[in-house]
Amino acid sequence: MLKPKHFAYANMVTPKLVAKIEAEEPALRLALLIDADNAQAAVIEGILAEVARFGEATVKRIYGDFTSPHSASWKKVLQKYAIKPVQQFAYTTGKNATDSTLIIDAMDLLYTRRFDGFCLVTSDSDFTGLATRIREEGLVVLGFGEQKTPDAFRNACNKFVLTELLRPAETGSLSAAVKPEPTAAPALPPATALTQAAAPSLPQDFMLSALDQSSGENGWAHLGTFGSYLTKLKPDFDPRVYGFRKLSDLVRSRQDIFVTEERALPGQAQKQLYLKPR
């Protein structure tokens, strides 16, 4: 039987989960599982930083054949970041034994009931079933993969993050993965190297639809509720793709689309951001 706290994560995305992207302290206990055959070592530091925004990775494992030249880059970072390698030899050509090993381990960890969620680092759609099964248990699934990752796996996660956004400053660029188009309004100065590349155009219809679903009878929506609906409708939605570090930065900059208002709530020192369509 599931522990009571796990039912808090039964929905696709909770406002609490989305709020962690903005500023909340980490609370989730996470298992980080990396498919070395479908992930690059160059983004590991960014992945760990991103995971830390949601919670603590109490288990960090990577699966692959580390006798292969393909995995040479991973061997250089495993000790530095305390990631446990799980060696998996290729039993036969054309078959991926790594996938099976990772899935078996994930299910073993799932049934320990010690975790609030899983972080799956892969661009392989073969893990769609695993992500779906974990969510059936009421746990959060955070996916990390490249732009080529199929929609099936992206949509099976509560939240999906493009690893192109997590590359170091000297190599970080979305230009090779996303064809840029000019934005309707200038973006704020980029806070990190993640937004150095030109951003694609903002999906206004999609965002206004999410805002309509998340707003109250007075037409206003809390930023956290709005962010929750965005991710429910599109798990790979990320303001950094459009040149903004946070969702609050994005909506404040697009005064041609949104009306924003900061409100001081009773008993809270920090103001809360609300928005509505212009």
Side-chain angles (χ1 to χ4, degrees):
M1 183 175 179
L2 291 176
K3 295 181 180 178
K5 67 176 180 178
H6 288 151
F7 290 105
Y9 309 107
N11 295 328
M12 287 184 66
V13 177
T14 65
K16 179 180 179 181
L17 175 64
V18 174
K20 288 187 181 298
I21 304 176
E22 293 290 316
E24 285 189 8
E25 293 183 2
L28 303 181
R29 291 181 299 176
L30 304 169
L32 173 64
L33 307 180
I34 304 170
D35 175 13
D37 296 337
N38 288 284
Q40 297 184 12
V43 298
I44 185 58
E45 186 172 356
I47 289 174
L48 293 175
E50 192 75 12
V51 170
R53 299 172 70 182
F54 294 96
E56 179 184 2
T58 55
V59 166
K60 294 182 288 186
R61 299 180 185 176
I62 184 168
Y63 301 80
D65 183 0
F66 298 102
T67 64
S68 168
H70 178 75
S71 302
S73 60
W74 278 111
K75 290 190 287 187
K76 299 177 182 178
V77 300
L78 298 184
Q79 185 175 2
K80 178 180 179 180
Y81 295 107
I83 302 173
K84 179 182 178 181
V86 180
Q87 170 64 31
Q88 180 58 60
F89 294 100
Y91 296 123
T92 184
T93 303
K95 301 293 183 180
N96 196 340
T98 299
D99 291 7
S100 299
T101 304
L102 191 156
I103 292 171
I104 292 170
D105 264 14
M107 296 306 295
D108 287 343
L109 293 171
L110 174 65
Y111 290 126
T112 65
R113 312 299 183 191
R114 295 188 290 112
F115 300 95
D116 301 311
F118 283 72
C119 302
L120 304 179
V121 182
T122 182
S123 301
D124 192 343
S125 63
D126 289 347
F127 293 99
T128 301
L130 174 62
T132 301
R133 181 66 183 89
I134 293 172
R135 290 183 60 182
E136 287 176 353
E137 292 290 335
L139 275 64
V140 169
V141 177
L142 306 175
F144 297 85
E146 298 177 355
Q147 181 70 22
K148 66 181 181 181
T149 305
D151 288 340
F153 178 69
R154 297 187 188 208
N155 294 329
C157 301
N158 294 93
K159 177 68 179 175
F160 181 84
V161 179
L162 290 172
T163 54
E164 285 89 350
L165 291 168
L166 307 178
R167 292 184 179 278
E170 62 271 15
T171 59
S173 174
L174 279 177
S175 57
V178 182
K179 293 183 179 179
E181 298 175 8
T183 53
L188 294 177
T192 69
L194 303 181
T195 57
Q196 286 181 346
S201 59
L202 195 70
Q204 296 186 25
D205 292 342
F206 161 68
M207 297 193 72
L208 290 174
S209 175
L211 182 57
D212 179 65
Q213 295 180 55
S214 58
S215 61
E217 293 183 358
N218 60 1
W220 289 89
H222 182 265
L223 179 68
T225 305
F226 175 51
S228 175
Y229 270 89
L230 286 175
T231 314
K232 283 182 179 180
L233 297 174
K234 189 175 176 61
D236 59 356
F237 178 84
D238 195 319
R240 291 171 296 187
V241 171
Y242 307 101
F244 300 90
R245 188 169 60 90
K246 297 191 294 185
L247 180 60
S248 57
D249 296 334
L250 190 157
V251 299
R252 284 193 179 102
S253 73
R254 296 306 303 265
Q255 296 299 315
D256 58 320
I257 305 174
F258 307 109
V259 178
T260 60
E261 180 180 290
E262 290 190 350
R263 302 177 185 175
L265 301 182
Q268 296 186 15
Q270 188 175 6
K271 292 184 178 181
Q272 302 290 318
L273 184 65
Y274 285 78
L275 68 154
K276 68 177 182 179
R278 180 166 291 282

